[in-house]
Amino acid sequence: MAGDIAFKDEWDDSDDPGEPNPGTYEYVLKGNAKSLDAVGTLIRDLCKRFGIPENEEDGLGLYVPQRALMKVLVGSDTEYYRGNILYLNREAPDRLVITSEADNGDPLLYALRQAFTNLDVEIKETEW
Protein backbone atom coordinates (compact mmCIF):
# COMPACT_ATOMS: atom_id res chain seq x y z
CA MET A 1 0.00 0.00 0.00
CA ALA A 2 2.82 2.43 0.82
CA GLY A 3 4.36 1.87 -2.63
CA ASP A 4 1.15 2.94 -4.36
CA ILE A 5 0.94 6.13 -2.34
CA ALA A 6 4.56 7.06 -3.04
CA PHE A 7 3.97 7.05 -6.81
CA LYS A 8 0.56 8.69 -6.66
CA ASP A 9 1.90 11.96 -5.24
CA GLU A 10 5.33 11.87 -6.89
CA TRP A 11 7.03 15.26 -6.97
CA ASP A 12 7.01 16.96 -10.37
CA ASP A 13 9.63 19.72 -10.54
CA SER A 14 8.51 21.07 -13.93
CA ASP A 15 7.08 24.15 -12.18
CA ASP A 16 10.02 24.51 -9.79
CA PRO A 17 13.59 25.19 -10.89
CA GLY A 18 14.84 22.95 -8.07
CA GLU A 19 18.50 22.22 -7.55
CA PRO A 20 21.05 23.25 -10.19
CA ASN A 21 21.71 20.52 -12.75
CA PRO A 22 23.86 22.24 -15.38
CA GLY A 23 24.68 21.00 -18.84
CA THR A 24 26.93 22.62 -21.42
CA TYR A 25 25.37 24.02 -24.61
CA GLU A 26 26.78 25.54 -27.77
CA TYR A 27 24.68 28.03 -29.70
CA VAL A 28 25.81 28.46 -33.30
CA LEU A 29 24.65 31.76 -34.76
CA LYS A 30 24.96 32.28 -38.51
CA GLY A 31 24.12 35.38 -40.49
CA ASN A 32 25.30 38.84 -41.36
CA ALA A 33 28.37 40.22 -39.63
CA LYS A 34 26.65 43.32 -38.20
CA SER A 35 24.06 41.28 -36.32
CA LEU A 36 26.73 38.93 -35.00
CA ASP A 37 28.77 41.96 -33.93
CA ALA A 38 25.73 43.21 -32.00
CA VAL A 39 25.39 39.88 -30.16
CA GLY A 40 29.11 39.87 -29.32
CA THR A 41 29.03 43.47 -28.13
CA LEU A 42 25.99 42.79 -25.93
CA ILE A 43 27.64 39.81 -24.23
CA ARG A 44 30.96 41.61 -23.77
CA ASP A 45 29.18 44.63 -22.24
CA LEU A 46 27.34 42.34 -19.83
CA CYS A 47 30.66 40.66 -19.05
CA LYS A 48 32.16 44.02 -18.04
CA ARG A 49 29.22 44.62 -15.69
CA PHE A 50 28.53 41.15 -14.30
CA GLY A 51 31.14 38.67 -15.52
CA ILE A 52 34.89 38.18 -15.34
CA PRO A 53 36.31 40.03 -18.40
CA GLU A 54 39.94 39.37 -17.49
CA ASN A 55 39.32 35.63 -18.01
CA GLU A 56 38.74 36.06 -21.75
CA GLU A 57 42.43 36.39 -22.57
CA ASP A 58 43.30 33.33 -20.48
CA GLY A 59 40.47 31.23 -21.91
CA LEU A 60 39.01 30.60 -18.45
CA GLY A 61 35.44 31.66 -19.24
CA LEU A 62 33.53 34.93 -19.18
CA TYR A 63 31.00 33.83 -16.54
CA VAL A 64 28.30 36.23 -17.66
CA PRO A 65 25.16 35.33 -15.72
CA GLN A 66 22.67 33.99 -18.23
CA ARG A 67 19.90 35.65 -16.24
CA ALA A 68 21.40 39.08 -17.07
CA LEU A 69 21.44 38.25 -20.78
CA MET A 70 17.88 36.94 -20.65
CA LYS A 71 16.76 40.13 -18.89
CA VAL A 72 18.01 42.11 -21.90
CA LEU A 73 16.63 39.70 -24.50
CA VAL A 74 13.17 38.91 -23.06
CA GLY A 75 12.71 41.28 -20.12
CA SER A 76 12.80 38.60 -17.43
CA ASP A 77 15.52 37.17 -15.22
CA THR A 78 13.59 34.37 -13.55
CA GLU A 79 15.42 31.63 -11.71
CA TYR A 80 14.60 29.27 -14.58
CA TYR A 81 17.24 31.10 -16.65
CA ARG A 82 20.15 30.52 -14.29
CA GLY A 83 23.51 29.60 -15.80
CA ASN A 84 26.58 31.30 -17.23
CA ILE A 85 27.81 32.32 -20.64
CA LEU A 86 31.29 30.83 -20.67
CA TYR A 87 32.78 31.50 -24.10
CA LEU A 88 32.20 33.64 -27.15
CA ASN A 89 34.02 32.47 -30.27
CA ARG A 90 33.84 34.20 -33.66
CA GLU A 91 34.78 31.34 -35.97
CA ALA A 92 34.15 33.28 -39.20
CA PRO A 93 32.66 36.67 -40.17
CA ASP A 94 29.26 34.99 -40.54
CA ARG A 95 29.48 32.51 -37.63
CA LEU A 96 29.50 33.04 -33.85
CA VAL A 97 29.51 30.29 -31.22
CA ILE A 98 28.28 30.97 -27.68
CA THR A 99 29.04 28.33 -25.05
CA SER A 100 26.93 28.30 -21.91
CA GLU A 101 26.52 26.20 -18.83
CA ALA A 102 22.88 26.13 -17.72
CA ASP A 103 20.15 23.94 -16.29
CA ASN A 104 18.28 24.08 -19.60
CA GLY A 105 19.49 25.23 -23.01
CA ASP A 106 16.14 25.93 -24.62
CA PRO A 107 15.27 29.31 -23.06
CA LEU A 108 18.39 31.03 -24.42
CA LEU A 109 17.87 29.39 -27.82
CA TYR A 110 14.33 30.77 -28.07
CA ALA A 111 15.38 34.19 -26.75
CA LEU A 112 18.19 34.50 -29.31
CA ARG A 113 15.84 33.47 -32.12
CA GLN A 114 13.23 35.99 -30.96
CA ALA A 115 15.67 38.88 -30.50
CA PHE A 116 17.72 38.27 -33.65
CA THR A 117 15.22 37.13 -36.26
CA ASN A 118 17.68 37.64 -39.11
CA LEU A 119 20.12 35.08 -37.67
CA ASP A 120 19.99 31.31 -37.88
CA VAL A 121 20.46 29.94 -34.35
CA GLU A 122 21.07 26.28 -33.57
CA ILE A 123 21.90 24.51 -30.33
CA LYS A 124 23.77 21.37 -29.37
CA GLU A 125 24.47 19.93 -25.96
CA THR A 126 28.16 19.21 -25.46
CA GLU A 127 30.23 17.13 -23.09
CA TRP A 128 33.05 18.70 -21.07
Side-chain angles (χ1 to χ4, degrees), residues 80-128:
Y80 290 99
Y81 300 150
R82 67 180 167 216
N84 290 298
I85 304 301
L86 300 177
Y87 303 104
L88 193 60
N89 185 16
R90 188 71 171 265
E91 294 182 343
D94 64 344
R95 182 179 166 96
L96 176 71
V97 177
I98 300 169
T99 304
S100 80
E101 181 179 62
D103 291 341
N104 184 348
D106 292 335
L108 182 56
L109 172 67
Y110 300 135
L112 289 168
R113 285 180 175 169
Q114 178 184 341
F116 299 97
T117 57
N118 61 334
L119 295 177
D120 178 36
V121 184
E122 297 177 8
I123 185 176
K124 68 178 181 176
E125 189 167 2
T126 62
E127 296 285 328
W128 278 76

